[in-house]
Amino acid sequence: MIISVILNTFNNSNTILRCLNSVINQTFKSFECVVVDDCSTDDTVKKVVQVIEKDSRFSLFKNNKNWGCSLSRKAGFHRSTGDYLLFIDGDDWLENDCLTRLFNKAKTESADIVFCDYYEEREEEAKLMPQNIDLKNKNQIVAAMASYDPYLVSSLWNKLIRRDVIAKVDFPQERYGEDMYISLQLVYYSYKYAYVNYPLYHYWVDNIVSLSNNKRKDQMLRLAMYDICQKIL
């Protein structure tokens, strides 16, 4: 397979079929989707299995305990075979041409990472989040991510990433700030970046969870920044 989609799930019964269908409906067909379920207690797994029974490109791995997002992504990576990877969460979804646009840009520009714009989705609105990227300046990309710049998001899910770059990454056990920790490594280990100036990813914002975790997440992001700088910069 050319692209591996790594899909994390945890109690996403209400949204998982929307997410899975957005992957199934991709115009780019040479992909596999590795679903990693982090001990869901609802019927998320049941709905995933229904899709797997109809489409051999999908597979399921179930964690034996609740590992959190980072280690679940690591498990999905090690069970994937694609030359490029895209990460998605079980409450988010893709535009139908997401993989096509990202892959074409990666091949045309020989890029290690391809960024794209995204929508920040809430019940009442969808907000376009264009990414402001100086593709020639690695230090600027790192600085923007570290400053929580919403126009250069440090999350993994709006990026197509070469496999050999991800293979160098240390996936942390921490459950807060893990995306920034990983993304900074990806930028460091990459040589060329590309950007698709179009929203291809829909990120669902859980307002309650976001507000309750905000303070702790800020503290963990600062620790992640210090740790990653000590290790690789």
Side-chain angles (χ1 to χ4, degrees), residues 6-21:
I6 310 300
L7 197 170
N8 280 15
T9 63
F10 175 69
N11 289 347
N12 296 126
S13 177
N14 293 334
T15 60
I16 189 61
L17 288 180
R18 177 181 65 189
C19 178
L20 289 167
N21 285 329

Side-chain angles (χ1 to χ4, degrees), residues 214-230:
N214 190 50
K215 183 175 181 180
R216 184 177 179 187
K217 185 174 182 179
D218 182 72
Q219 294 171 343
M220 291 304 300
L221 287 175
R222 293 179 186 278
L223 291 174
M225 270 296 300
Y226 176 80
D227 192 27
I228 197 64
C229 287
Q230 291 292 313

Side-chain angles (χ1 to χ4, degrees), residues 56-163:
S56 62
R57 295 173 298 177
F58 289 76
S59 62
L60 172 66
F61 174 76
K62 295 187 287 186
N63 292 341
N64 57 14
K65 64 178 182 178
N66 185 261
W67 291 350
C69 190
S70 176
L71 294 185
S72 293
R73 285 174 172 157
K74 181 178 180 179
F77 167 67
H78 286 300
R79 285 163 178 80
S80 68
T81 62
D83 299 323
Y84 296 87
L85 285 91
L86 181 138
F87 295 91
I88 182 172
D89 294 333
D91 51 358
D92 300 341
W93 66 99
L94 307 174
E95 289 288 307
N96 288 353
D97 57 349
C98 177
L99 298 184
T100 296
R101 283 178 177 251
L102 293 176
F103 177 73
N104 287 345
K105 179 66 73 170
K107 297 301 291 184
T108 299
E109 301 194 16
S110 301
D112 298 310
I113 303 177
V114 183
F115 301 78
C116 70
D117 298 338
Y118 68 98
Y119 288 109
E120 194 173 81
E121 300 278 355
R122 290 180 168 85
E123 288 284 359
E124 65 277 8
E125 66 174 348
K127 182 180 179 181
L128 174 62
M129 303 296 289
Q131 302 296 277
N132 182 21
I133 304 171
D134 181 351
L135 298 175
K136 298 179 181 179
N137 192 328
K138 179 180 291 192
N139 290 336
Q140 187 180 79
I141 294 175
V142 169
M145 286 183 173
S147 65
Y148 322 141
D149 184 344
Y151 298 104
L152 184 49
V153 67
S154 60
S155 298
L156 294 182
W157 34 252
N158 70 327
K159 302 167 180 65
L160 185 71
I161 310 157
R162 282 176 58 92
R163 184 178 196 86

Side-chain angles (χ1 to χ4, degrees), residues 121-124 204-213:
E121 300 278 355
R122 290 180 168 85
E123 288 284 359
E124 65 277 8
W204 178 255
V205 179
D206 186 331
N207 292 310
I208 297 175
V209 173
S210 297
L211 289 172
S212 63
N213 288 337

Side-chain angles (χ1 to χ4, degrees), residues 1 4-9 20 23 31-37 45 48-49 51-62 75-76 78-81:
M1 293 295 177
S4 293
V5 177
I6 310 300
L7 197 170
N8 280 15
T9 63
L20 289 167
V23 179
F31 72 84
E32 64 177 357
C33 182
V34 181
V35 181
V36 181
D37 184 76
V45 169
V48 172
V49 169
V51 170
I52 291 173
E53 290 173 346
K54 298 177 182 179
D55 194 328
S56 62
R57 295 173 298 177
F58 289 76
S59 62
L60 172 66
F61 174 76
K62 295 187 287 186
H78 286 300
R79 285 163 178 80
S80 68
T81 62

